[in-house]
Amino acid sequence: MYSIKEIRQIIGAQGPIIRECNISGLITDSRQVLNASEGLFFALKGRRDGHEFIKEAYNAGVRSFVVAHEPAERMTGANFLTVDNVLNALHILAAHHRQQFNLQVIGITGSNGKTIIKEWLYQLMANEYSIVRNPKSYNSQVGVPLSVWQITKENDLGIFEAGISTSGEMDALEAMIKPQIGIFTHLGSAHDEGFENRRAKVIEKLKLFKHADLLIYNYDQMREYEKDIVTPKRFTWSQKSKDVDLYVFSETVIAKKFYLRAKYKGKEIECLIPFLDAASVENAVYCWATMLAMGYSPQQCDDRLEHLTAVSMRLELKTGVNDCTIIDDSYNSDINSLEIALNFLNQQNQHQTKTLILSDIYQSGLQQEVLYKQVADMVKDKKIDKFIGVGEAIFAHEEYFDVLKKHFYPHTQALLKDLNNLEFSSETILIKGARSFEFERISKALSQKAHETLMEINLTAMVNNLNFYRSKLYPGVKVMVMVKAFSYGSGTFEIANVLQYAKVDYLAVAYIDEGVALRESGIKLPIMVLNPEPAAFDKMVEHKLEPELYSFNMLDEFVKFAYQQNINEYPVHLKIDTGMHRLGFEDYEIETLCDFLEEVKHIRVKSVFSHLVASDAPEHDAFTLQQMKRYEKAYLKIENALGYKFIRHISNTSAIIRWPMAQYDMVRLGIGLYGVDAAVPGHMNGLQPIASLKTNISQIKKLPAGETIGYSRLGKLNKDGKIATVRIGYADGYLRAFGNGVGKMLVKGVLVPTVGNIAMDMCMIDVSDVECKEGDEVIVFNDKQGIDILAKQIGTIPYEILTNISQRVKRVYFYE
Ligand SMILES: *Cc1c(COP(=O)(O)O)cnc(C)c1O
């Protein structure tokens, strides 16, 4: 805890202290304010300028700010500490905080595996140490200072990861982390584009260890950079060279575990790793090496590595029983990740009631009274309506929790037995527990039974895609996101909540009932309806949905309706047809339209827009230019007639990249949000597919050559082989066109063709060359085999593939 005066001095800020106070928390996001009166808000320049959000933070109760310039608006009783560079100030404060403690610190960087290794070292060493570490993968220029700020005098070990994407970033992170022990994890291609070459990247990353005493790394990956390493002591491991500290010479699989043998200090040692995939094994070896380097005995290593558990940074959003929404974060429970999960809970608008099911928190390094007081304060701050505590420790601190409805249970079984009495209904339930509480059982009991074919939607990737397009926009250009047709098959409120939280400017749906559904889920953003039906105008107005008016007929209908209902200045959007010839006013109609608009008072034109027919296609660029010219002529005339400004927009996804001069006042982002864009070849530059469709194997049959497979005997094996029946068919949206080898699926990483016709609920694939068994996962599409590939296979476009996935296929959303 620092006084605001001390902080002003530490960061060398200007500005008077209006109000003496102590600061305990750093805030970088005005939507995530906790313990406001002791918070210090940093107005960082991210994609949006943090100064824009000062008022929001002030309204949430924050009274201390670090800014580059004071806001124009007066805010009484607030401290504004002025600095040249706000991010720098945050770094200086975190580095100062770090210097107050002489705990041991492990610093981790590299291309892959940082978070897993950090979490595993935590699992492996929590017996001996009180450990502080980054929440999730908070390893950036903002994440690291927030992580380091968590250090308290109780901690005797810090484990911090540092991630960089371009040169010049590591020095600041090093100053905050100051590790004595370093781990350089797997070196790969991630972020290569941010550096001159691979060596430049390695040298930048190595800066994290410039003051460290000891560096742990893989010799084979790093040998060509060894002369760039300045750390005096090294601990190397290898699977190829004997001349290292830990030489892993043998790996075999025994009973679903990886059995590793190695040479260490001239002796043979061994361990079992409960994972089989190569990346996990490699990450575990880094942990093994680190434990040995830190003085753990080979026996201790073996005992503990065998009990490593999977690390999932995922927070899943699922459909629950009785119209509930379930947020499943049942893998761990510490106070930092609790805060992150509660923020996610608060993004959800679809239900009034917010419920938290929380287990005891282990290994916090805090006294129980302090810990549960903090938890209780957080629960109160985040406005939880219903609290369910599970575990002896949390139970013992029952009286701290000031919540309307609260229930406590000594263990998970007791809660499970009582589940029906809790009468969950239409609420959003966050389930968060330490692994040993097995909260996945609660999650299972409260989730709707899912048909085993699932579409997983990565919300983190979706936000990244949004930010990718935002980074291509001129300052001030607004974003409308097209969430028509169930957000291109991806979801309704699940997607809209994220977009609302990310502060997009507008949403657009195709029909009125889609908009009504969003309103009923608590979405407050302005919503345009592309094709409103006059019969539902009353519902549209009741839910503040804004119609697209595209013809005189439509205009007449709506104005008549508005007149009857005595509505004035209702926001509407005018569509100009510049070449699509679908909906919209034609060139020759604009004059008449203008005359009409000059007269009517019932509507207010919010925007005038048009739609490009081939913004992605170079061969139609001349036509695209012509569309823009027509559009410009039309909106100028309308602007003249109306005498006021409106939002102008014509760009869809591909135009954002290809036609920057056509951004006008707003763009309409569609398919790109979902990770597909013909104008962005090969998923380059940070565009990520967000959806994967997974199913599994119901049965496997060994068949001799010549047997036919499926309806109409169209499938045939040319040689003896093995056929797997999987749980997806054309009723799920896997179209018949994919049959007879046209479509391919991934089984154990191997691409295999369909055999025979696709049936309604199932289809068959040829797994002759794949080791697999019944129940194994089968991937229809994911980030490796994208929907663009599927679209090509059957001669359609990705849009159709996505929107065809039927509602029977359960959607599961997750944050990483
Ligand atoms: C669907 C739609 C978009 C989005 O198009 P994408 O190619 O998916 O970006 C934009 N504008 C209108 C009018 C649309 O109907």
Side-chain angles (χ1 to χ4, degrees):
M1 189 99 91
Y2 298 83
S3 74
I4 187 75
K5 256 200 184 120
E6 283 173 276
I7 289 182
R8 183 176 64 176
Q9 198 197 353
I10 294 164
I11 63 176
Q14 305 290 315
I17 305 290
I18 305 283
R19 175 196 171 97
E20 291 285 348
C21 59
N22 284 328
I23 297 298
S24 64
L26 308 183
I27 301 164
T28 58
D29 187 331
S30 57
R31 299 164 300 188
Q32 302 181 352
V33 172
L34 192 70
N35 197 1
S37 61
E38 292 186 0
L40 178 61
F41 180 85
F42 284 78
L44 296 170
K45 284 216 169 62
R47 267 171 211 91
R48 296 276 291 273
D49 185 346
H51 291 81
E52 289 173 38
F53 303 112
I54 289 174
K55 187 66 203 246
E56 195 176 311
Y58 181 85
N59 289 343
V62 180
R63 289 295 175 270
S64 300
F65 299 84
V66 178
V67 296
H69 51 81
E70 280 201 32
E73 193 180 341
R74 257 185 67 82
M75 287 172 228
T76 48
N79 299 316
F80 287 97
L81 307 185
T82 317
V83 295
D84 290 339
N85 183 325
V86 178
L87 181 63
N88 224 353
L90 176 63
H91 288 171
I92 291 169
L93 181 59
H96 174 90
H97 185 66
R98 165 73 182 87
Q99 289 305 326
Q100 308 312 303
F101 305 94
N102 55 14
L103 75 176
Q104 174 124 264
V105 171
I106 302 175
I108 307 175
T109 196
S111 309
N112 308 96
K114 296 186 283 291
T115 304
I116 306 280
I117 291 173
K118 178 200 71 193
E119 292 296 317
W120 275 352
L121 288 175
Y122 170 76
Q123 288 182 15
L124 293 164
M125 301 185 183
N127 272 351
E128 287 76 31
Y129 297 98
S130 164
I131 300 174
V132 53
R133 67 198 200 280
N134 322 59
K136 306 230 166 190
S137 52
Y138 277 28
N139 64 21
S140 67
Q141 300 286 314
V142 178
V144 168
L146 298 183
S147 304
V148 168
W149 184 255
Q150 310 293 333
I151 304 175
T152 66
K153 62 180 192 309
E154 278 78 23
N155 300 123
D156 50 12
L157 178 64
I159 310 178
F160 295 112
E161 55 172 302
I164 55 170
S165 52
T166 184
S167 56
E169 290 187 327
M170 194 56 98
D171 278 335
L173 301 186
E174 193 275 336
M176 291 181 275
I177 297 175
K178 279 259 178 290
Q180 302 94 349
I181 299 173
I183 303 174
F184 202 117
T185 70
H186 182 93
L187 180 60
S189 62
H191 296 301
D192 270 357
E193 68 282 359
F195 300 87
E196 212 171 297
N197 51 42
R198 186 65 67 87
R199 158 157 268 125
K201 181 170 90 171
V202 172
I203 289 175
E204 181 70 28
K205 287 186 187 262
L206 280 170
K207 286 185 184 161
L208 179 60
F209 313 120
K210 66 183 174 194
H211 296 114
D213 312 315
L214 167 67
L215 180 62
I216 296 147
Y217 59 90
N218 175 281
Y219 174 73
D220 308 317
Q221 289 173 15
M222 294 293 289
R223 73 210 285 171
E224 56 179 304
Y225 310 108
E226 274 202 318
K227 62 176 184 306
D228 300 313
I229 298 174
V230 298
T231 322
K233 279 198 286 188
R234 290 140 196 223
F235 188 103
T236 51
W237 71 271
S238 168
Q239 283 157 299
K240 295 183 195 137
S241 328
K242 292 193 176 117
D243 197 17
V244 291
D245 297 288
L246 181 67
Y247 168 46
V248 183
F249 62 85
S250 150
E251 349 173 304
T252 38
V253 176
I254 299 177
K256 295 198 177 171
K257 290 189 180 170
F258 231 84
Y259 173 53
L260 296 179
R261 290 160 63 201
K263 270 262 159 56
Y264 171 66
K265 290 190 170 167
K267 287 207 194 78
E268 204 179 301
I269 64 171
E270 58 185 18
C271 74
L272 273 176
I273 290 167
F275 297 93
L276 292 179
D277 64 291
S280 296
V281 174
E282 182 176 343
N283 291 334
V285 176
Y286 277 105
C287 293
W288 196 11
T290 306
M291 288 181 84
L292 291 169
M294 287 176 70
Y296 283 86
S297 74
Q299 189 57 45
Q300 277 173 320
C301 297
D302 188 18
D303 290 346
R304 295 191 189 176
L305 284 163
E306 190 181 347
H307 296 107
L308 281 178
T309 54
V311 171
S312 161
M313 291 292 137
R314 273 191 179 196
L315 204 96
E316 283 191 351
L317 183 70
K318 312 192 254 205
T319 312
V321 295
N322 299 335
D323 185 40
C324 290
T325 306
I326 307 295
I327 301 172
D328 186 351
D329 193 1
S330 53
Y331 90 96
N332 83 10
S333 148
D334 59 71
I335 198 147
N336 295 324
S337 69
L338 174 62
E339 185 180 348
I340 294 168
L342 285 170
N343 284 331
F344 184 65
L345 175 64
N346 275 338
Q347 282 178 43
Q348 303 300 317
N349 302 293
Q350 61 274 27
H351 307 301
Q352 293 284 329
T353 306
K354 294 185 162 62
T355 302
L356 169 62
I357 306 180
L358 182 70
S359 78
D360 285 353
I361 292 178
Y362 293 144
Q363 294 154 342
S364 69
L366 298 172
Q367 299 223 313
Q368 297 220 332
E369 288 69 36
V370 181
L371 171 68
Y372 291 108
K373 186 80 185 59
Q374 269 187 28
V375 172
D377 285 349
M378 203 183 274
V379 166
K380 185 156 189 216
D381 241 25
K382 298 288 180 184
K383 304 193 171 58
I384 296 301
D385 305 288
K386 192 161 156 187
F387 180 81
I388 297 163
V390 182
E392 309 274 351
I394 206 162
F395 205 159
H397 298 86
E398 182 181 8
E399 79 276 14
Y400 289 2
F401 290 85
D402 177 14
V403 188
L404 205 57
K405 288 187 192 153
K406 54 180 183 176
H407 308 267
F408 290 84
Y409 299 91
H411 44 71
T412 307
Q413 193 55 36
L415 166 60
L416 281 168
K417 253 175 98 180
D418 201 36
L419 217 49
N420 284 336
N421 298 328
L422 290 168
E423 296 180 335
F424 295 105
S425 156
S426 298
E427 49 201 284
T428 310
I429 307 170
L430 169 61
I431 302 176
K432 183 139 185 66
R435 181 145 235 133
S436 58
F437 279 84
E438 299 181 347
F439 269 16
E440 58 275 9
R441 293 165 63 198
I442 300 171
S443 157
K444 215 163 159 190
L446 293 179
S447 301
Q448 254 183 23
K449 298 273 171 300
H451 166 54
E452 307 213 15
T453 301
L454 285 178
M455 179 140 101
E456 289 188 343
I457 312 281
N458 181 341
L459 296 174
T460 309
M462 189 179 91
V463 173
N464 287 342
N465 292 340
L466 173 65
N467 288 333
F468 168 77
Y469 286 100
R470 276 181 165 164
S471 75
K472 308 287 171 198
L473 299 181
Y474 290 110
V477 174
K478 294 178 173 9
V479 180
M480 172 185 269
V481 178
M482 312 309 283
V483 293
K484 58 196 186 196
F486 199 50
S487 296
Y488 289 47
S490 302
T492 54
F493 65 82
E494 301 91 346
I495 304 287
N497 277 332
V498 178
L499 295 171
Q500 177 159 294
Y501 187 73
K503 296 184 192 289
V504 306
D505 301 280
Y506 251 100
L507 297 178
V509 294
Y511 295 103
I512 291 169
D513 54 355
E514 296 179 334
V516 172
L518 292 180
R519 286 281 181 257
E520 285 174 347
S521 313
I523 299 300
K524 303 245 158 37
L525 288 172
I527 300 176
M528 176 171 93
V529 183
L530 294 165
N531 201 345
E533 314 92 309
F537 276 166
D538 50 346
K539 266 207 316 199
M540 178 179 84
V541 169
E542 182 194 333
H543 290 96
K544 295 198 168 61
L545 306 169
E546 305 173 6
E548 163 186 327
L549 302 178
Y550 48 80
S551 68
F552 286 116
N553 244 339
M554 203 61 184
L555 193 55
D556 280 346
E557 286 268 11
F558 186 70
V559 168
K560 209 164 72 198
F561 172 82
Y563 169 77
Q564 283 164 357
Q565 306 286 316
N566 210 359
I567 296 167
N568 279 318
E569 305 227 334
Y570 196 82
V572 303
H573 304 263
L574 299 177
K575 168 76 118 356
I576 309 300
D577 185 352
T578 56
M580 173 76 92
H581 303 319
R582 191 169 66 178
L583 298 177
F585 290 95
E586 304 273 342
D587 264 354
Y588 69 88
E589 294 175 316
I590 302 295
E591 297 287 343
T592 323
L593 174 64
C594 286
D595 293 344
F596 186 93
L597 290 173
E598 281 173 34
E599 300 298 317
V600 292
K601 295 287 163 283
H602 302 292
I603 58 173
R604 168 98 189 172
V605 177
K606 277 289 281 285
S607 88
V608 173
F609 73 107
S610 187
H611 195 28
L612 298 171
V613 304
S615 61
D616 60 330
E619 66 270 30
H620 295 304
D621 281 356
F623 187 79
T624 302
L625 275 168
Q626 191 186 332
Q627 279 197 285
M628 289 172 197
K629 282 223 184 74
R630 285 184 180 156
Y631 171 63
E632 266 173 46
K633 257 166 85 183
Y635 81 67
L636 282 171
K637 280 187 191 153
I638 297 172
E639 197 173 85
N640 227 357
L642 287 172
Y644 58 80
K645 297 237 184 255
F646 41 75
I647 304 171
R648 301 161 305 160
H649 49 118
I650 194 168
S651 293
N652 65 340
T653 294
S654 296
I656 298 173
I657 308 291
R658 295 198 65 236
W659 299 97
M661 86 275 216
Q663 290 175 4
Y664 300 102
D665 306 310
M666 184 158 80
V667 295
R668 299 189 305 273
L669 179 60
I671 192 104
L673 184 73
Y674 312 102
V676 185
D677 183 354
V680 182
H683 307 307
M684 59 162 219
N685 290 340
L687 198 60
Q688 280 170 267
I690 70 164
S692 40
L693 182 58
K694 296 177 173 173
T695 180
N696 60 19
I697 299 178
S698 325
Q699 196 176 14
I700 293 179
K701 290 177 189 292
K702 288 205 170 100
L703 294 175
E707 279 294 312
T708 66
I709 291 124
Y711 283 120
S712 312
R713 307 195 61 204
L714 279 177
K716 200 169 263 175
L717 285 183
N718 293 327
K719 50 183 179 60
D720 295 357
K722 211 167 56 175
I723 297 298
T725 304
V726 296
R727 295 183 161 96
I728 189 170
Y730 57 78
D732 299 291
Y734 196 66
L735 301 177
R736 284 187 86 247
F738 285 113
N740 299 300
V742 173
K744 298 192 173 56
M745 297 185 189
L746 280 163
V747 184
K748 303 257 159 194
V750 183
L751 213 50
V752 301
T754 58
V755 194
N757 280 328
I758 309 293
M760 189 184 291
D761 311 305
M762 286 171 260
C763 65
M764 280 69 90
I765 51 179
D766 182 349
V767 289
S768 300
D769 303 321
V770 191
E771 280 254 359
C772 58
K773 58 182 188 318
E774 291 170 5
D776 277 355
E777 180 179 85
V778 175
I779 290 164
V780 182
F781 59 73
N782 66 0
D783 51 347
K784 311 239 158 38
Q785 147 143 296
I787 45 177
D788 46 337
I789 297 175
L790 270 74
K792 279 215 188 78
Q793 288 167 346
I794 63 164
T796 182
I797 51 174
Y799 302 71
E800 200 184 14
I801 301 284
L802 269 181
T803 54
N804 256 323
I805 309 302
S806 75
Q807 293 306 307
R808 177 167 87 181
V809 176
K810 283 279 174 308
R811 271 71 171 167
V812 173
Y813 301 83
F814 68 93
Y815 255 107
E816 287 178 313

